[in-house]
Amino acid sequence: MPTLNWIGKEKVVNHHQDVPFRILEHKYGYTEKGEQTKESNSGNKIIQGDNLEALKSLLPEYEGKVDCIYIDPPYNTGNELWVYNDNVKHPKIQKWLGEVVGKEDEDFTRQDKWLCMLYPRLKLLSKLLSSTGSIWISIDDNSGHHLKLVLDEIFGKKNFIACNVWQKRYSRENRGSIGDAHEYIFVYSKNPDYFKANRNRLPLTEKQAKIYRNPTNDPRGRWRTIPMTAQGFRPNQMYEIEGPDGSIHVPPEGRCWSTLEENFLQLKKEGKIYFGKKGDAQPSVIRYLSEVPGIVPWTWWPSDEVGHTDESRKEIRAFFGTQTAFETPKPTRLIERIIGIATQKNDIILDSFAGSATTANAVLNLNKKDSGNRKFILVEMEDYADSITSERVKKVIKGYGKVKNEVEGTGGSFDFYELGKPIFKKDHNLNEDVAEEKIRNYIFYSETKQHLERERSEEAKYLLDNYQDTGYYFYYEKERLTTLDLDSLNIVAEKQEQYIIYADTCLLDPDYMLNKNIIFKKIPRDIKRF
């Protein structure tokens, strides 16, 4: 399979493993009643911070559990607010490029820097995506060809689903030699067969529904006819059909009936065969509007169905009164289509380039429409994460508009977080400024790849939890060293086949430990980094 190489790639292929693990610090919860200091525990999250570090902080709770990812990364045109061009302006990215990727005097092109920025983020997104989930990525002609090769490398070429074309403009313009009227949305799934079998169909548009009429006043509602012939010759589908007027019908030359005779007779019995107003026409099958499951999505997404850039700008003005910082926000209808196709009612949706929070808006809209319980996770690096990103979500939940609640609220809640301190200090010791519960969560996940759900109890103070017949213990005290010996083995609170115990030192005899199935791990040396 062809792969894409660029300056600095070798530095970022595994860089996601070197990113420091930071905790999430809860700042406030939000419900329909307003802000609150305690967590809403709704499952909806907005995180302010570098999305590379934020994605890593999500691993203990969400690795392999996100059902749908949508991202709208910078398009590398040189005009983005979060600039990755030749004059990289964001201090965090500038520092990262210098320290991790290469020196300032190396001959990086704008494309090199953009790919270096995106690659480790896509690697972490791949870890978070569930085994049956899908990822949807917006891009334009400027970098789409490069992005496709990177996605093939990370998610697998065989897992490519489609390249959807979104008509972002509905009217012609005079700028440029050829008008720029579209963008792309690449789609990958870790399980294409599952995606094909479980993706949702689109509801019929008003125009499509108009095809269905009811000239016969059928109590079953509006219907249309579908020709009852198929191309080719199948002997068991070449029977004669007698019409209501006594005429005999056979398939036209080169065609056969589309169904077996016994199926035809059943359809006729159910009143689903139509011979025309006079009863003398070639038979056709009646399909009722109520029986139509929806439309199979295709790759052309016109603006009249999913919105355009003018619509998205008007949406931003409706929330904030001005255009704010967003030149090309996505319309909510576009993201609603993605989530509508890709998710079920209880799925988790992640957007790590959240911007103006269109993804959360779409999730809340769909939940209101179908009484769903989808959860959103947004990550935004810029300072407007609270003033714009979360502010829009608040307005969607409560209602907004020039007249009070002109747009009715969807209801819902979320929690706002900032990236906190790293688990490890630069000298590789545990950061004692981090709450012990956060450290316990980290260690259990590093051992089991499971989120620590068990609450700590006084009776089992050092027990993290039991998993697959193994008891995991973190024998840790902030103010003193801990030693695993015969006297301290009473920390084992529940019988298991094996025990993994973290402590500062160990005085137990190796043969004794082998006999009792005890594995000692030294703090902090043996705590895994991921």
Side-chain angles (χ1 to χ4, degrees), residues 112-127:
D112 293 327
K113 293 177 181 180
W114 183 79
L115 289 165
C116 284
M117 176 280 298
L118 199 58
Y119 195 95
R121 289 163 173 81
L122 290 172
K123 293 280 280 190
L124 287 173
L125 288 170
S126 178
K127 284 179 169 290

Side-chain angles (χ1 to χ4, degrees), residues 292-473:
V292 179
I295 304 167
V296 175
W298 67 336
T299 56
W300 169 240
W301 291 14
S303 60
D304 61 339
E305 293 182 11
V306 296
H308 42 71
T309 52
D310 283 353
E311 179 177 312
S312 56
R313 291 188 186 105
K314 288 177 182 176
E315 288 180 346
I316 295 296
R317 285 195 292 271
F319 284 110
F320 302 107
T322 61
Q323 183 58 33
T324 69
F326 302 98
E327 290 297 323
T328 56
K330 297 298 183 287
T332 307
R333 285 197 290 161
L334 176 68
I335 312 305
E336 281 186 25
R337 168 166 288 195
I338 292 171
I339 298 170
I341 293 171
T343 72
Q344 307 303 320
K345 289 185 177 182
N346 294 305
D347 282 357
I348 299 171
I349 297 96
L350 168 64
D351 181 349
S352 56
F353 292 87
S356 63
T358 309
T359 297
N361 196 157
V363 169
L364 292 168
N365 285 355
L366 286 172
N367 281 346
K368 184 177 180 180
K369 288 177 183 177
D370 64 10
S371 300
N373 192 33
R374 300 171 187 83
K375 306 297 183 186
F376 62 79
I377 304 171
L378 306 185
V379 182
E380 179 50 55
M381 178 179 186
E382 298 290 349
D383 292 338
Y384 55 70
D386 193 16
S387 61
I388 293 179
T389 309
S390 68
E391 189 62 28
R392 176 174 178 175
V393 181
K394 293 174 186 177
K395 291 183 178 182
V396 171
I397 289 171
K398 291 199 71 173
Y400 61 96
K402 291 181 180 179
V403 181
K404 186 176 181 180
N405 294 353
E406 178 183 341
V407 178
E408 184 181 354
T410 60
S413 54
F414 70 90
D415 288 290
F416 187 88
Y417 300 85
E418 290 179 356
L419 278 179
K421 297 178 175 65
I423 288 281
F424 297 99
K425 296 187 291 188
K426 289 184 179 181
D427 61 5
H428 304 297
N429 285 317
L430 284 175
N431 187 345
E432 294 180 348
D433 291 334
V434 173
E436 187 177 338
E437 289 306 308
K438 299 287 186 180
I439 299 174
R440 287 165 58 88
N441 289 341
Y442 176 92
I443 291 174
F444 187 73
Y445 167 76
S446 70
E447 287 284 353
T448 66
K449 296 299 183 184
Q450 302 297 311
H451 180 52
L452 181 58
E453 303 284 354
R454 181 168 179 158
E455 292 187 7
R456 193 176 187 181
S457 66
E458 192 58 38
E459 298 76 25
K461 181 179 178 181
Y462 301 104
L463 173 64
L464 300 176
D465 204 353
N466 303 310
Y467 181 70
Q468 294 184 343
D469 301 318
T470 299
Y472 294 90
Y473 289 81

Side-chain angles (χ1 to χ4, degrees), residues 52 119 130 147 157 172-173 204 250 340 380 458:
L52 185 59
Y119 195 95
S130 75
L147 177 61
K157 188 175 181 180
R172 296 184 183 276
E173 58 174 17
L204 271 66
V250 294
E380 179 50 55
E458 192 58 38

Side-chain angles (χ1 to χ4, degrees), residues 134 157-163 187-189 191-193 195-196:
S134 59
K157 188 175 181 180
K158 63 182 177 59
N159 292 329
F160 173 68
I161 300 295
C163 173
V187 188
Y188 285 75
S189 173
N191 189 329
D193 291 336
F195 180 87
K196 182 178 180 181

Side-chain angles (χ1 to χ4, degrees), residues 6 8-16 96 100-101 115-117 119-120 123:
W6 64 88
K9 181 179 181 180
E10 71 281 359
K11 302 288 183 62
V12 297
V13 167
N14 294 310
H15 177 64
H16 62 285
W96 178 76
V100 176
V101 180
L115 289 165
C116 284
M117 176 280 298
Y119 195 95
K123 293 280 280 190

Side-chain angles (χ1 to χ4, degrees), residues 112-343:
D112 293 327
K113 293 177 181 180
W114 183 79
L115 289 165
C116 284
M117 176 280 298
L118 199 58
Y119 195 95
R121 289 163 173 81
L122 290 172
K123 293 280 280 190
L124 287 173
L125 288 170
S126 178
K127 284 179 169 290
L128 290 163
L129 190 63
S130 75
S131 60
T132 55
S134 59
I135 181 169
W136 305 63
I137 306 174
S138 286
I139 199 67
D140 66 358
D141 285 315
N142 192 57
S143 298
H145 53 303
H146 289 137
L147 177 61
K148 177 67 168 62
L149 289 173
V150 170
L151 292 172
D152 284 348
E153 182 176 330
I154 293 175
F155 292 93
K157 188 175 181 180
K158 63 182 177 59
N159 292 329
F160 173 68
I161 300 295
C163 173
N164 298 302
V165 181
W166 167 49
Q167 182 192 10
K168 66 179 182 180
R169 291 197 176 95
Y170 61 95
S171 60
R172 296 184 183 276
E173 58 174 17
N174 296 321
R175 294 179 298 174
S177 56
I178 298 178
D180 174 20
H182 70 275
E183 290 182 5
Y184 306 106
I185 303 172
F186 290 131
V187 188
Y188 285 75
S189 173
K190 286 191 174 179
N191 189 329
D193 291 336
Y194 179 92
F195 180 87
K196 182 178 180 181
N198 292 276
R199 59 93 181 91
N200 300 312
R201 297 187 178 220
L202 301 173
L204 271 66
T205 64
E206 186 176 340
K207 182 179 179 181
Q208 292 162 336
K210 282 183 178 179
I211 299 173
Y212 293 82
R213 303 175 182 275
N214 194 0
T216 59
N217 294 318
D218 192 315
R220 287 173 285 190
R222 294 158 61 185
W223 53 274
R224 63 171 293 195
T225 58
I226 299 172
M228 211 186 94
T229 62
Q231 189 173 3
F233 176 81
R234 299 179 181 87
N236 57 351
Q237 293 175 209
M238 296 297 293
Y239 47 91
E240 293 183 344
I241 292 177
E242 182 178 352
D245 66 342
S247 57
I248 302 298
H249 300 277
V250 294
E253 186 175 352
R255 300 183 71 81
C256 61
W257 297 124
S258 60
T259 186
L260 299 173
E261 187 171 13
E262 54 264 36
N263 294 336
F264 161 76
L265 293 173
Q266 181 62 34
L267 289 169
K268 185 178 179 183
K269 182 179 178 181
E270 295 171 0
K272 292 185 176 181
I273 300 295
Y274 186 64
F275 291 91
K277 292 181 180 180
K278 298 180 180 179
D280 58 353
Q282 193 84 334
S284 56
V285 178
I286 291 175
R287 175 172 290 178
Y288 292 94
L289 179 60
S290 59
E291 297 175 335
V292 179
I295 304 167
V296 175
W298 67 336
T299 56
W300 169 240
W301 291 14
S303 60
D304 61 339
E305 293 182 11
V306 296
H308 42 71
T309 52
D310 283 353
E311 179 177 312
S312 56
R313 291 188 186 105
K314 288 177 182 176
E315 288 180 346
I316 295 296
R317 285 195 292 271
F319 284 110
F320 302 107
T322 61
Q323 183 58 33
T324 69
F326 302 98
E327 290 297 323
T328 56
K330 297 298 183 287
T332 307
R333 285 197 290 161
L334 176 68
I335 312 305
E336 281 186 25
R337 168 166 288 195
I338 292 171
I339 298 170
I341 293 171
T343 72

